[in-house]
Amino acid sequence: MARVLTRQAEDFPRWYQDVLAKAQLAENGPVRGTMVIRPDGYALWERMQAEVDDRIKVDGARNAYFPLFIPESYLRREAKHVEGFSPELAVVTVGGGKELEEPVIVRPTSETIINASFAKWVQSYRDLPLLINQWANVVRWELRPRLFLRTTEFLWQEGHTAHATEAEAREYAIRILRDVYEDFMVDVLALPVVVGRKTARERFAGATNTMTLELMTGDGKALQMGTSHELGQNFARVFGIEFLAPSGQRDYAWQTSWGSSTRMVGGLIMAHGDDDGLRVPPRLAPTQVAVLVVKEAAREAAERLADDLRTAGVRVAVDAAADLPFGRRTVDWELKGVPLRVEVGPRDLAEDRVMLARRTSRTKAPVPLGGLVDAVRTALVKDQVALFAEAEQRRGARIADVKTVEDAAEAATGGWARVPWAELGVEGEARLAERSVSVRCLTRPDGSLPAAEDEPDLLAYCARAY
Amino acid sequence: MARVLTRQAEDFPRWYQDVLAKAQLAENGPVRGTMVIRPDGYALWERMQAEVDDRIKVDGARNAYFPLFIPESYLRREAKHVEGFSPELAVVTVGGGKELEEPVIVRPTSETIINASFAKWVQSYRDLPLLINQWANVVRWELRPRLFLRTTEFLWQEGHTAHATEAEAREYAIRILRDVYEDFMVDVLALPVVVGRKTARERFAGATNTMTLELMTGDGKALQMGTSHELGQNFARVFGIEFLAPSGQRDYAWQTSWGSSTRMVGGLIMAHGDDDGLRVPPRLAPTQVAVLVVKEAAREAAERLADDLRTAGVRVAVDAAADLPFGRRTVDWELKGVPLRVEVGPRDLAEDRVMLARRTSRTKAPVPLGGLVDAVRTALVKDQVALFAEAEQRRGARIADVKTVEDAAEAATGGWARVPWAELGVEGEARLAERSVSVRCLTRPDGSLPAAEDEPDLLAYCARAY
């Protein structure tokens, strides 16, 4: 049989494009760099949204919505911020048939416009902390677009908070990083992300500290899956977010911002996918089990089993297209990465059993009818764990501990390099950058977050990045 | 005590602005016509989204996402469509620091870009019906903006479908109108909308038939709360959405589109609000009950009661700010329109009771502790019904049955006019338009949907509209 997808080992980026197309996840929009997210791709994003949103709410932030259009002048107020974003902006110059007096920017991120509101809302310490999140689209003109990973328009959530002290702001930025992003990525996406601190070179434009979660993709590169920033008082000063402390003194608020985007869909595919397509972790999967009617005669039994599974809290789809070739149907479900497939045919039914196929391990075995619900539950739990373990093992095998720039660049051709930051330094970082390798993040030797870039004994994770 | 809000009877539009500001629902953004939706306003929209999304999924449509940016050339393909939207467009002419070769439009609606995808996805009758929904922001440059009702950028859902036959498309457009929009507006928003057919003059640009749900606001005007369109084969022809029928013949698909937006938040406020602020129907309310700690000593008991209510499935917020003036706190909860307030004070607790205040009826009575959960449940159900009844009664009282253009214009100064369409006709409609009165919709005498504008005995609902 002809292969549906390019093999990963042959051409990983092409394999990725093939999966997106064949599993009908996404395709290019007509304007360069834009993306159409098809229903099966969007369902993954909706599940991600629900899980991330729940966690954000537990951490106390409330959703709100701010305008897409930002006056050009707002962006100019924070010097590093405008410098960082200027090359990527989309500018509206005509509105309602007329040339605009002041052009407006399509938001690349919302620090400026949200902080202009914060300045109105914050008067006293009683108004703090102010914890806001927004689900929105943002636009950054992209010269080398890649679906989900880097698109001119993408969907994301961006959190923005204001606090009375630096310590509170720092604590909250870390809380979001750990309780929202890391918890979600590890527990739901089954992705062993490395959590660390960005170097000054890689910091968000306008932040005093950027913390990140870095994923190793199937081809040993790195993908930034989410970031949480301390903004210090930078934006508070330029937008005038001032509050009256209980002491009677006025002070500028301390701020954070943090975001995660549709890029996570790309990361999921690149980390868990195999030569047969996507593999979706059971806890995320919009459809956890596909129940296939092998022959029309088995349809009623299949519907009953599907109902049993739904009653047990499993997310189920029934594939009743018994008139289509069976092989094509199973290939399609494998492409889409649905964790389990229950094949219900008259011959198996006659023996009081069905076939249970597991996408993660590519195994298939008969299960007695009465034991199906338990077997499905067990497989969903095990395969969630197995996907994480597999990704973690790859990561372990593909990180090389090295000491020199030369060795780091070499290691980064097929994996990551871990280098003592003291050996590398900003100079070594610059030399790696010339070879398209970046320092993805810094961690302490025990893996915990550094409080500063100049702590002793820090480790730098270096890789080529998507 | 000074009034917090302008009285409705004094100046309704100003009352509306006051409610939005004082209840902290929304405010103007810096770019003219844009809107900041604050957390309490956004929470209403999130609940609306959840309820509408559930209903859309039940009707079989799947969510997807299409680009914000549309090539200018796409919009030009459907003549009436471009004519309708041209005056309202926002145009991006600069991207990534460069003048664009072809300017791109910020989507005012997505028929063109979605149908370009449909043309790729639809080949055979097996691909139909194709039922897609999108939650997104859209932009229509607005010269007379009004928060929630008419903003340059607004949030909405837009559904787009393709079918094999005209009858199927029509049936689906009606199904969305009834099962999604009407059911949601009546059952959740407690709004007695009039469901009817738009006249040719009021039809969506590019549609063959537009159906609408019209709301009477507190000042007797009309607000279009949602629309469902039959597009015939108009877009299918220009974008080439062709399919192979089982017969072997090729045909263009028959299409629908339908939308509802953040305007519904404005409608909710304008229909249920009173001189003390917003009144949110219990089934919608993000917070159904505010439990007030009257004095600090009652805090623990209040938290326990709140937990009991949560366990019973009620959405609860605890207001423990016992150090703030009690009067200010109750005024705030009334402003925000939370349906019920449970006041927990030490003196009442000593008598094994709490006070239950109902926002809809402005009544307040003691309730024994042991009976609180039941009393809350009963009040939530009753007040949902009461809000609908009140709005329905107002609508009944303010619709005048008249026969002439003159009388219709007169009736529309403080309510709606219902006029036999045969008496009015397109000429009468044009004369009413000169006086800022429009035909909101046509219905049959029994209230059902006309299949055509020239059916006999149709009634025209005429009003000034927001």
Side-chain angles (χ1 to χ4, degrees), chain A residues 154-216:
Chain A
F154 56 91
L155 305 182
W156 78 343
Q157 62 64 221
E158 50 178 321
H160 299 269
T161 70
H163 306 260
T165 67
E166 183 175 23
E168 270 181 46
R170 178 163 303 160
E171 193 193 346
Y172 198 78
I174 294 172
R175 199 168 145 195
I176 292 291
L177 186 77
R178 297 288 192 187
D179 297 0
V180 177
Y181 297 150
E182 188 183 12
D183 185 74
F184 166 66
M185 290 172 196
V186 169
D187 276 14
V188 180
L189 299 186
L191 295 175
V193 285
V194 171
V195 181
R197 180 186 175 99
K198 287 283 185 193
T199 62
R201 184 189 179 101
E202 299 286 332
R203 208 176 271 157
F204 175 73
T208 59
N209 175 27
T210 291
M211 293 170 289
T212 181
L213 307 101
E214 300 284 328
L215 172 70
M216 183 185 281

Side-chain angles (χ1 to χ4, degrees), chain A residues 27-31 34-40 42-43 46 53 57 62-71 74 86-97 100 104 106-107 113 116-117 120-121 126 131-132 135 137 139 141 143 152-153 155 321 323-324, chain B residues 27-31 34-40 42-43 46 53 57 62-71 74 86-97 100 104 106-107 113 116-117 120-121 126 131-132 135 137 139 141 143 152-153 155 321 323-324:
Chain A
E27 56 194 39
N28 291 312
V31 173
T34 62
M35 165 171 64
V36 173
I37 309 179
R38 302 187 67 172
D40 282 327
Y42 198 80
E46 273 186 310
D53 195 65
K57 282 173 175 156
R62 300 189 70 197
N63 288 338
Y65 189 79
F66 296 81
L68 173 70
F69 291 153
I70 304 180
Y74 275 41
S86 278
E88 305 177 352
L89 299 177
V91 188
V92 175
T93 58
V94 175
L100 300 177
V104 302
V106 183
R107 66 180 161 221
I113 198 159
S117 280
K120 286 188 272 181
W121 300 346
R126 276 186 176 277
L131 312 173
I132 295 290
W135 290 96
N137 53 346
V139 169
W141 213 264
L143 298 178
T152 290
E153 179 193 10
L155 305 182
D323 56 331
L324 294 182
Chain B
E27 56 194 38
N28 291 313
V31 173
T34 63
M35 164 171 65
V36 173
I37 309 180
R38 303 187 66 173
D40 282 327
Y42 199 79
E46 274 185 310
D53 195 64
K57 283 174 174 155
R62 301 189 69 198
N63 287 338
Y65 190 78
F66 296 81
L68 173 70
F69 291 154
I70 303 180
Y74 275 41
S86 279
E88 306 178 350
L89 300 177
V91 187
V92 175
T93 58
V94 175
L100 300 177
V104 301
V106 183
R107 64 179 162 222
I113 198 159
S117 280
K120 285 188 272 181
W121 300 346
R126 277 188 176 274
L131 312 173
I132 295 290
W135 290 95
N137 53 346
V139 168
W141 213 264
L143 298 179
T152 290
E153 179 194 9
L155 305 181
D323 56 331
L324 294 181

